Amino acid sequence: MNAVTVKNLSVILGDNTILNRVTFDVPKGSLTAVIGPNGSGKTTLFKALLGLLPFEGTVKIFDKPARDVLDRIGYVPQHFDFDRTLPITVREFLAFAKPAQSKQDKEVCHETKVDELNDKLIGQLSGGQLQRVLIANALMRDPKLLLLDEPAAGIDIEGEKVFYELIDHVNKKHGVTVIMISHEINMVYHFADQIICLNRDLVCSGPPREALTREVMSKLYGQQMDMRGHTHV
Amino acid sequence: MMDILALPFMQRAVIAGVLLALILAVLGIFVVLKRMAFLSDGIAHASLAGVAAGILAGLNPLLVALGLGAVLGALIAWLERRTKLAGDALIGLVFTGGMALGVVLLAFKRGYQPELVSFLFGNILAVQWNELIIMAVLGFAILVFLLLCYKRLVLMLINQDLAHVAGIPIAFYQTLLYVTVAVATVLGIKLLGIVLVSALMIMPVTMAKLLAKSFGQLIVYSVVAAELMVILGLLASVTFDLPAGAVIVLCGLAMFFVILSARALIASKPAKR
């Protein structure tokens, strides 16, 4: 069964076609990575999945329109722009998103190491700490589908590895379907079951070792780019 | 001091001031969170059209201005969604349009308008019981709304996408917030006047931000700062026979610099070993 079914999805804003007739499925329980160059429509894809943007085509999440299953979706946005001078603690922020917190939510905070940040102000967190808080916020909704928009941005290499292990744990142990936008091809190779390559059109989809060919990388990032250009190890 | 407080007009002024300070200070947090400090200023100026229409039609200008303010708040929220234009540009549009309409309407009324002057610069010492009842009823409704919805409102103002995923109907809550800010602003006109009312939304939260270490503290400190501004300002205005609205704002400004100086002084002291 599919967690997400997308058929002929197009997003056109003004005269600009951001996504052009994109079709793919995301199997339930999979960890799927979305890759593509800047401006290729990755974030727009997420916004369309969530019903935040008008689109043409069909988007079904657990066989229903997104608006009917929002309570089963956790989302970590790419940009989290807010007035950093406002004194809001991590504990308060998490309570705004989920006022009644359970024992399970405390476990989520422990697992994401957010419990040690509880009394810190969100405006004073580092990029990595803020990402952890946003992920905890998403997980506290006990989601069946987790959408992560460049979640490792702003995290150092060591933190990045820990982060991907956490996502892998959430996916494998808790059975949460994860769709993640990422630029880290090496991590995608290691952790993702499936990959979706976007560059306005769907360039490739499938298991990373089959889908990520030299030709696809060239289509996505230009002639000079190959897989070695993105590896860290 | 007690003699002054025994006077009925002063009692009404203190009750109105304390109530409005509470409402405007709490709402000011949401205005600042939305980065729309200009919203209350714009609504206040645009409500001149309502005041003028009320004076011309022989109706209660406060009630007409309240109705117009609510409509304008909803209009700004609707235009923001429909046009995707920047909020401050839309507020500027409504601000100048409402003010211009007010000036044109007032041109039909000849002679000096004492009531108009009291709306422009505020005259809390002239607050009547019927106006106090309007303030109390609407103020209570606003506080109940904020108490029930503040978590949803804060999440919406921090990040609309997260709020959408959390199932919060953004358009509904945004419109409700704008209407609430508009109504509270028009209520505040009686205290500080069209020209100065936004000060009571912006100054307390600005002072509180200098001291607060959590959102809870921000609310408490904002309210305390607003109440101090109003009470000190009222007492000073009666003692020195000066316009109440302007003195309240100057009190707020003085308090801000006192807090800023105290913070700098504490920060400059070397920590004890």
Short mmCIF file of all heavy atoms in Angstrom, two decimals, chain A residues 47 50-52 70 73 75 77 79-83 85-89 92-93 95-97 99 121 134 137 141, chain B residues 29 32-33 35 150-152 154-155 158-162 164-167 205 208-209 212-218:
data_model
loop_
_atom_site.label_atom_id
_atom_site.label_comp_id
_atom_site.label_asym_id
_atom_site.label_seq_id
_atom_site.Cartn_x
_atom_site.Cartn_y
_atom_site.Cartn_z
N LYS A 47 4.79 21.54 -0.21
CA LYS A 47 3.67 22.46 0.07
C LYS A 47 2.41 21.98 -0.65
O LYS A 47 1.30 22.11 -0.12
CB LYS A 47 4.03 23.88 -0.35
CG LYS A 47 5.19 24.42 0.49
CD LYS A 47 5.10 25.89 0.75
CE LYS A 47 6.15 26.27 1.78
NZ LYS A 47 5.99 27.60 2.31
N LEU A 50 0.94 19.07 1.24
CA LEU A 50 0.25 19.50 2.47
C LEU A 50 -0.99 20.35 2.20
O LEU A 50 -1.70 20.73 3.13
CB LEU A 50 1.22 20.30 3.35
CG LEU A 50 2.36 19.50 3.98
CD1 LEU A 50 3.42 20.42 4.57
CD2 LEU A 50 1.82 18.58 5.07
N GLY A 51 -1.21 20.68 0.93
CA GLY A 51 -2.37 21.51 0.60
C GLY A 51 -2.13 22.98 0.90
O GLY A 51 -3.08 23.75 1.07
N LEU A 52 -0.85 23.37 0.94
CA LEU A 52 -0.54 24.78 1.22
C LEU A 52 -0.50 25.63 -0.05
O LEU A 52 -0.42 26.85 0.04
CB LEU A 52 0.82 24.88 1.94
CG LEU A 52 0.84 24.45 3.40
CD1 LEU A 52 2.25 24.17 3.88
CD2 LEU A 52 0.20 25.51 4.28
N LEU A 70 -4.36 15.53 8.01
CA LEU A 70 -3.31 16.39 8.55
C LEU A 70 -2.84 15.92 9.93
O LEU A 70 -1.69 16.07 10.30
CB LEU A 70 -3.79 17.85 8.63
CG LEU A 70 -3.85 18.61 7.30
CD1 LEU A 70 -4.49 19.98 7.49
CD2 LEU A 70 -2.46 18.78 6.70
N ILE A 73 0.16 13.66 9.87
CA ILE A 73 1.38 14.14 9.20
C ILE A 73 2.20 14.99 10.15
O ILE A 73 1.68 15.87 10.84
CB ILE A 73 1.02 14.99 7.95
CG1 ILE A 73 0.16 14.18 6.98
CG2 ILE A 73 2.29 15.50 7.26
CD1 ILE A 73 -0.36 14.97 5.79
N TYR A 75 5.57 17.61 10.09
CA TYR A 75 6.24 18.41 9.06
C TYR A 75 7.33 19.26 9.70
O TYR A 75 7.11 19.91 10.72
CB TYR A 75 5.19 19.30 8.37
CG TYR A 75 5.74 20.32 7.40
CD1 TYR A 75 6.58 19.94 6.36
CD2 TYR A 75 5.40 21.67 7.52
CE1 TYR A 75 7.07 20.88 5.47
CE2 TYR A 75 5.87 22.61 6.62
CZ TYR A 75 6.71 22.21 5.59
OH TYR A 75 7.19 23.14 4.72
N PRO A 77 9.60 22.32 8.46
CA PRO A 77 9.82 23.23 7.33
C PRO A 77 11.30 23.56 7.14
O PRO A 77 12.09 23.45 8.07
CB PRO A 77 9.03 24.49 7.72
CG PRO A 77 8.95 24.44 9.20
CD PRO A 77 9.00 23.01 9.61
N HIS A 79 12.47 26.66 6.19
CA HIS A 79 12.74 27.97 6.80
C HIS A 79 11.86 28.13 8.02
O HIS A 79 10.66 27.88 7.96
CB HIS A 79 12.44 29.10 5.81
CG HIS A 79 13.34 29.07 4.62
ND1 HIS A 79 14.69 29.30 4.72
CD2 HIS A 79 13.09 28.81 3.32
CE1 HIS A 79 15.23 29.19 3.52
NE2 HIS A 79 14.29 28.88 2.66
N PHE A 80 12.46 28.55 9.09
CA PHE A 80 11.70 28.80 10.30
C PHE A 80 12.04 30.22 10.73
O PHE A 80 12.87 30.45 11.60
CB PHE A 80 12.05 27.77 11.37
CG PHE A 80 11.08 27.78 12.51
CD1 PHE A 80 9.80 27.31 12.35
CD2 PHE A 80 11.45 28.27 13.75
CE1 PHE A 80 8.90 27.34 13.39
CE2 PHE A 80 10.57 28.30 14.80
CZ PHE A 80 9.28 27.83 14.62
N ASP A 81 11.39 31.16 10.05
CA ASP A 81 11.72 32.57 10.20
C ASP A 81 10.79 33.18 11.25
O ASP A 81 9.59 33.19 11.08
CB ASP A 81 11.54 33.26 8.85
CG ASP A 81 11.94 34.71 8.90
OD1 ASP A 81 12.83 35.03 9.70
OD2 ASP A 81 11.34 35.51 8.17
N PHE A 82 11.35 33.64 12.34
CA PHE A 82 10.53 34.28 13.37
C PHE A 82 11.38 35.34 14.07
O PHE A 82 12.59 35.38 13.88
CB PHE A 82 10.00 33.24 14.37
CG PHE A 82 11.09 32.55 15.13
CD1 PHE A 82 11.45 32.95 16.41
CD2 PHE A 82 11.79 31.50 14.54
CE1 PHE A 82 12.46 32.32 17.10
CE2 PHE A 82 12.82 30.87 15.23
CZ PHE A 82 13.15 31.28 16.50
N ASP A 83 10.71 36.18 14.85
CA ASP A 83 11.42 37.23 15.58
C ASP A 83 12.23 36.59 16.71
O ASP A 83 11.67 36.18 17.73
CB ASP A 83 10.39 38.23 16.13
CG ASP A 83 11.04 39.38 16.89
OD1 ASP A 83 12.28 39.34 17.09
OD2 ASP A 83 10.32 40.30 17.29
N THR A 85 14.07 37.78 18.87
CA THR A 85 14.17 38.51 20.14
C THR A 85 12.99 38.18 21.05
O THR A 85 12.97 38.59 22.20
CB THR A 85 14.20 40.04 19.90
OG1 THR A 85 12.95 40.44 19.33
CG2 THR A 85 15.34 40.44 18.98
N LEU A 86 12.02 37.44 20.53
CA LEU A 86 10.86 37.11 21.37
C LEU A 86 11.20 36.00 22.35
O LEU A 86 11.71 34.95 21.94
CB LEU A 86 9.68 36.69 20.51
CG LEU A 86 8.81 37.83 20.04
CD1 LEU A 86 7.91 37.37 18.93
CD2 LEU A 86 7.98 38.40 21.18
N PRO A 87 10.95 36.22 23.61
CA PRO A 87 11.31 35.20 24.60
C PRO A 87 10.29 34.06 24.66
O PRO A 87 9.31 34.15 25.38
CB PRO A 87 11.35 36.00 25.91
CG PRO A 87 10.39 37.11 25.70
CD PRO A 87 10.34 37.40 24.24
N ILE A 88 10.53 33.02 23.87
CA ILE A 88 9.67 31.83 23.93
C ILE A 88 10.57 30.64 24.20
O ILE A 88 11.51 30.38 23.44
CB ILE A 88 8.91 31.62 22.60
CG1 ILE A 88 7.97 32.80 22.34
CG2 ILE A 88 8.12 30.32 22.62
CD1 ILE A 88 7.28 32.78 21.00
N THR A 89 10.33 29.93 25.30
CA THR A 89 11.18 28.78 25.62
C THR A 89 10.79 27.58 24.74
O THR A 89 9.68 27.54 24.19
CB THR A 89 11.05 28.38 27.10
OG1 THR A 89 9.71 27.95 27.33
CG2 THR A 89 11.40 29.51 28.04
N GLU A 92 7.66 26.03 26.01
CA GLU A 92 6.45 26.77 25.63
C GLU A 92 6.11 26.53 24.16
O GLU A 92 4.95 26.33 23.80
CB GLU A 92 6.65 28.27 25.87
CG GLU A 92 6.59 28.66 27.34
CD GLU A 92 6.97 30.10 27.60
OE1 GLU A 92 7.82 30.64 26.87
OE2 GLU A 92 6.45 30.68 28.56
N PHE A 93 7.14 26.55 23.30
CA PHE A 93 6.91 26.35 21.87
C PHE A 93 6.24 24.99 21.61
O PHE A 93 5.27 24.89 20.85
CB PHE A 93 8.22 26.46 21.09
CG PHE A 93 8.10 26.05 19.66
CD1 PHE A 93 7.42 26.84 18.75
CD2 PHE A 93 8.63 24.85 19.22
CE1 PHE A 93 7.27 26.44 17.43
CE2 PHE A 93 8.50 24.45 17.91
CZ PHE A 93 7.81 25.25 17.01
N ALA A 95 4.51 23.30 23.64
CA ALA A 95 3.15 23.30 24.20
C ALA A 95 2.18 24.06 23.29
O ALA A 95 0.99 23.74 23.25
CB ALA A 95 3.15 23.92 25.58
N PHE A 96 2.67 25.06 22.55
CA PHE A 96 1.79 25.78 21.60
C PHE A 96 1.31 24.79 20.53
O PHE A 96 0.17 24.82 20.11
CB PHE A 96 2.52 26.94 20.91
CG PHE A 96 2.87 28.06 21.85
CD1 PHE A 96 4.02 28.81 21.65
CD2 PHE A 96 2.06 28.38 22.91
CE1 PHE A 96 4.35 29.85 22.50
CE2 PHE A 96 2.38 29.41 23.78
CZ PHE A 96 3.53 30.15 23.57
N ALA A 97 2.23 23.94 20.07
CA ALA A 97 1.89 23.00 19.01
C ALA A 97 1.05 21.85 19.52
O ALA A 97 0.18 21.33 18.83
CB ALA A 97 3.16 22.47 18.35
N PRO A 99 -0.81 21.25 23.12
CA PRO A 99 -1.06 21.70 24.50
C PRO A 99 -1.05 20.58 25.54
O PRO A 99 -0.47 20.72 26.59
CB PRO A 99 -2.43 22.37 24.41
CG PRO A 99 -2.57 22.78 22.98
CD PRO A 99 -1.83 21.74 22.20
N LEU A 121 15.66 29.59 25.22
CA LEU A 121 14.79 30.35 24.33
C LEU A 121 15.00 29.88 22.90
O LEU A 121 16.16 29.66 22.48
CB LEU A 121 15.09 31.85 24.42
CG LEU A 121 14.92 32.48 25.80
CD1 LEU A 121 15.25 33.96 25.76
CD2 LEU A 121 13.49 32.31 26.30
N LEU A 134 12.26 21.16 16.13
CA LEU A 134 11.22 21.05 15.10
C LEU A 134 10.87 19.59 14.82
O LEU A 134 9.71 19.24 14.58
CB LEU A 134 11.66 21.76 13.82
CG LEU A 134 11.77 23.28 13.91
CD1 LEU A 134 12.34 23.87 12.62
CD2 LEU A 134 10.41 23.91 14.20
N ASN A 137 8.83 18.38 17.68
CA ASN A 137 7.49 18.93 17.51
C ASN A 137 6.68 18.09 16.52
O ASN A 137 5.51 17.78 16.75
CB ASN A 137 7.60 20.38 17.02
CG ASN A 137 6.28 20.97 16.61
OD1 ASN A 137 5.35 21.02 17.40
ND2 ASN A 137 6.18 21.38 15.36
N ARG A 141 3.35 14.62 17.36
CA ARG A 141 2.02 14.44 16.78
C ARG A 141 1.75 12.97 16.47
O ARG A 141 0.71 12.64 15.93
CB ARG A 141 1.90 15.27 15.49
CG ARG A 141 2.03 16.76 15.73
CD ARG A 141 2.20 17.55 14.45
NE ARG A 141 1.22 17.23 13.44
CZ ARG A 141 -0.04 17.64 13.44
NH1 ARG A 141 -0.45 18.40 14.43
NH2 ARG A 141 -0.85 17.32 12.48
N ILE B 29 1.33 41.99 22.21
CA ILE B 29 2.26 40.87 22.04
C ILE B 29 2.01 40.19 20.69
O ILE B 29 2.95 39.88 19.96
CB ILE B 29 2.11 39.86 23.20
CG1 ILE B 29 2.54 40.51 24.51
CG2 ILE B 29 2.92 38.59 22.93
CD1 ILE B 29 2.18 39.72 25.75
N VAL B 32 3.16 42.47 17.82
CA VAL B 32 4.62 42.46 17.67
C VAL B 32 5.07 41.11 17.09
O VAL B 32 5.95 41.06 16.23
CB VAL B 32 5.30 42.75 19.02
CG1 VAL B 32 6.80 42.48 18.96
CG2 VAL B 32 5.05 44.21 19.41
N LEU B 33 4.44 40.04 17.54
CA LEU B 33 4.77 38.69 17.04
C LEU B 33 4.50 38.61 15.54
O LEU B 33 5.24 37.97 14.79
CB LEU B 33 3.90 37.67 17.78
CG LEU B 33 4.35 36.22 17.83
CD1 LEU B 33 5.71 36.10 18.46
CD2 LEU B 33 3.35 35.38 18.61
N ARG B 35 4.77 41.05 13.64
CA ARG B 35 5.58 42.14 13.06
C ARG B 35 4.69 43.14 12.35
O ARG B 35 4.95 43.53 11.21
CB ARG B 35 6.64 41.59 12.11
CG ARG B 35 7.63 40.68 12.78
CD ARG B 35 8.57 40.07 11.80
NE ARG B 35 9.41 39.07 12.44
CZ ARG B 35 10.25 38.30 11.76
NH1 ARG B 35 10.38 38.43 10.48
NH2 ARG B 35 10.98 37.42 12.39
N TYR B 150 -4.94 31.52 22.62
CA TYR B 150 -3.62 32.14 22.47
C TYR B 150 -2.57 31.16 21.95
O TYR B 150 -1.69 31.54 21.17
CB TYR B 150 -3.18 32.85 23.75
CG TYR B 150 -2.55 31.97 24.81
CD1 TYR B 150 -1.17 31.82 24.88
CD2 TYR B 150 -3.32 31.32 25.73
CE1 TYR B 150 -0.58 31.03 25.84
CE2 TYR B 150 -2.75 30.52 26.70
CZ TYR B 150 -1.38 30.38 26.74
OH TYR B 150 -0.80 29.59 27.70
N LYS B 151 -2.67 29.89 22.31
CA LYS B 151 -1.66 28.93 21.84
C LYS B 151 -1.75 28.76 20.32
O LYS B 151 -0.74 28.73 19.62
CB LYS B 151 -1.83 27.58 22.54
CG LYS B 151 -1.37 27.65 24.00
CD LYS B 151 -1.43 26.33 24.69
CE LYS B 151 -0.87 26.47 26.10
NZ LYS B 151 -1.02 25.30 26.91
N ARG B 152 -2.98 28.66 19.82
CA ARG B 152 -3.18 28.53 18.38
C ARG B 152 -2.72 29.80 17.65
O ARG B 152 -2.09 29.74 16.60
CB ARG B 152 -4.67 28.28 18.07
CG ARG B 152 -5.01 26.80 18.08
CD ARG B 152 -6.50 26.58 18.09
NE ARG B 152 -7.01 26.63 19.45
CZ ARG B 152 -8.27 26.49 19.79
NH1 ARG B 152 -9.17 26.29 18.85
NH2 ARG B 152 -8.65 26.52 21.04
N VAL B 154 -0.44 32.00 18.68
CA VAL B 154 1.03 32.13 18.71
C VAL B 154 1.65 31.21 17.67
O VAL B 154 2.53 31.63 16.91
CB VAL B 154 1.60 31.83 20.11
CG1 VAL B 154 3.12 31.83 20.08
CG2 VAL B 154 1.11 32.85 21.12
N LEU B 155 1.20 29.96 17.60
CA LEU B 155 1.77 29.02 16.62
C LEU B 155 1.54 29.55 15.20
O LEU B 155 2.44 29.51 14.36
CB LEU B 155 1.14 27.63 16.77
CG LEU B 155 1.76 26.56 15.88
CD1 LEU B 155 3.22 26.33 16.23
CD2 LEU B 155 1.01 25.23 15.99
N ILE B 158 3.98 32.36 14.60
CA ILE B 158 5.39 31.92 14.49
C ILE B 158 5.60 31.27 13.13
O ILE B 158 6.58 31.56 12.44
CB ILE B 158 5.74 30.91 15.61
CG1 ILE B 158 5.74 31.61 16.98
CG2 ILE B 158 7.12 30.30 15.37
CD1 ILE B 158 6.02 30.65 18.13
N ASN B 159 4.71 30.37 12.72
CA ASN B 159 4.89 29.69 11.44
C ASN B 159 3.54 29.18 10.91
O ASN B 159 2.96 28.26 11.50
CB ASN B 159 5.88 28.53 11.58
CG ASN B 159 6.29 27.97 10.24
OD1 ASN B 159 5.49 27.34 9.55
ND2 ASN B 159 7.52 28.20 9.84
N GLN B 160 3.08 29.78 9.84
CA GLN B 160 1.74 29.44 9.32
C GLN B 160 1.68 28.00 8.79
O GLN B 160 0.65 27.35 8.89
CB GLN B 160 1.37 30.40 8.19
CG GLN B 160 1.01 31.77 8.71
CD GLN B 160 0.12 32.54 7.76
OE1 GLN B 160 -0.20 32.08 6.68
NE2 GLN B 160 -0.27 33.72 8.17
N ASP B 161 2.79 27.51 8.22
CA ASP B 161 2.78 26.15 7.68
C ASP B 161 2.59 25.12 8.80
O ASP B 161 1.82 24.17 8.67
CB ASP B 161 4.07 25.86 6.90
CG ASP B 161 4.17 26.69 5.63
OD1 ASP B 161 3.18 27.37 5.30
OD2 ASP B 161 5.23 26.67 4.98
N LEU B 162 3.33 25.32 9.90
CA LEU B 162 3.19 24.41 11.04
C LEU B 162 1.78 24.48 11.60
O LEU B 162 1.19 23.46 11.99
CB LEU B 162 4.20 24.76 12.14
CG LEU B 162 5.66 24.35 11.93
CD1 LEU B 162 6.48 24.69 13.15
CD2 LEU B 162 5.78 22.87 11.62
N HIS B 164 -0.92 25.23 9.96
CA HIS B 164 -1.82 24.55 9.00
C HIS B 164 -1.80 23.04 9.24
O HIS B 164 -2.85 22.40 9.31
CB HIS B 164 -1.36 24.87 7.57
CG HIS B 164 -2.02 24.04 6.52
ND1 HIS B 164 -3.26 24.33 6.01
CD2 HIS B 164 -1.61 22.89 5.90
CE1 HIS B 164 -3.59 23.40 5.11
NE2 HIS B 164 -2.60 22.53 5.02
N VAL B 165 -0.57 22.50 9.40
CA VAL B 165 -0.45 21.05 9.63
C VAL B 165 -1.08 20.68 10.98
O VAL B 165 -1.62 19.58 11.13
CB VAL B 165 1.04 20.61 9.55
CG1 VAL B 165 1.19 19.14 9.89
CG2 VAL B 165 1.58 20.87 8.15
N ALA B 166 -1.03 21.59 11.94
CA ALA B 166 -1.64 21.32 13.24
C ALA B 166 -3.17 21.46 13.18
O ALA B 166 -3.85 21.32 14.21
CB ALA B 166 -1.06 22.27 14.29
N GLY B 167 -3.69 21.73 12.00
CA GLY B 167 -5.15 21.78 11.82
C GLY B 167 -5.78 23.10 12.20
O GLY B 167 -7.00 23.18 12.41
N VAL B 205 5.08 45.86 25.50
CA VAL B 205 5.73 44.62 25.06
C VAL B 205 7.21 44.88 24.75
O VAL B 205 8.06 44.01 24.98
CB VAL B 205 4.98 43.97 23.87
CG1 VAL B 205 5.01 44.80 22.63
CG2 VAL B 205 5.55 42.60 23.55
N ALA B 208 8.82 44.82 28.07
CA ALA B 208 8.81 43.45 28.61
C ALA B 208 9.86 42.58 27.93
O ALA B 208 10.47 41.72 28.56
CB ALA B 208 7.42 42.85 28.45
N LYS B 209 10.07 42.81 26.64
CA LYS B 209 11.06 42.00 25.91
C LYS B 209 12.47 42.18 26.47
O LYS B 209 13.31 41.30 26.36
CB LYS B 209 11.05 42.39 24.41
CG LYS B 209 10.02 41.63 23.61
CD LYS B 209 9.90 42.16 22.21
CE LYS B 209 10.96 41.68 21.28
NZ LYS B 209 10.75 42.13 19.89
N ALA B 212 11.96 39.80 29.94
CA ALA B 212 11.34 38.47 30.03
C ALA B 212 12.27 37.36 29.59
O ALA B 212 13.06 37.51 28.66
CB ALA B 212 10.07 38.45 29.20
N LYS B 213 12.14 36.21 30.27
CA LYS B 213 12.92 35.01 29.93
C LYS B 213 12.02 33.89 29.42
O LYS B 213 12.46 32.77 29.24
CB LYS B 213 13.68 34.52 31.18
CG LYS B 213 14.66 35.52 31.75
CD LYS B 213 16.02 35.42 31.05
CE LYS B 213 17.05 36.34 31.66
NZ LYS B 213 16.88 37.74 31.22
N SER B 214 10.73 34.19 29.24
CA SER B 214 9.79 33.21 28.70
C SER B 214 8.56 33.96 28.19
O SER B 214 8.39 35.15 28.49
CB SER B 214 9.37 32.21 29.78
OG SER B 214 8.58 32.86 30.75
N PHE B 215 7.72 33.25 27.44
CA PHE B 215 6.51 33.89 26.91
C PHE B 215 5.55 34.25 28.05
O PHE B 215 4.90 35.29 28.01
CB PHE B 215 5.83 32.94 25.91
CG PHE B 215 4.76 33.61 25.11
CD1 PHE B 215 5.09 34.48 24.09
CD2 PHE B 215 3.43 33.37 25.37
CE1 PHE B 215 4.10 35.11 23.34
CE2 PHE B 215 2.43 33.99 24.62
CZ PHE B 215 2.77 34.86 23.61
N GLY B 216 5.50 33.39 29.06
CA GLY B 216 4.66 33.66 30.22
C GLY B 216 5.07 34.97 30.89
O GLY B 216 4.23 35.82 31.22
N GLN B 217 6.40 35.13 31.08
CA GLN B 217 6.89 36.37 31.69
C GLN B 217 6.60 37.57 30.78
O GLN B 217 6.29 38.65 31.26
CB GLN B 217 8.40 36.27 31.91
CG GLN B 217 8.79 35.38 33.08
CD GLN B 217 10.29 35.41 33.33
OE1 GLN B 217 11.05 36.13 32.70
NE2 GLN B 217 10.72 34.59 34.28
N LEU B 218 6.68 37.36 29.48
CA LEU B 218 6.43 38.46 28.53
C LEU B 218 5.01 39.01 28.72
O LEU B 218 4.81 40.23 28.74
CB LEU B 218 6.60 37.96 27.09
CG LEU B 218 6.53 39.03 26.00
CD1 LEU B 218 7.78 39.90 25.99
CD2 LEU B 218 6.34 38.41 24.63
#
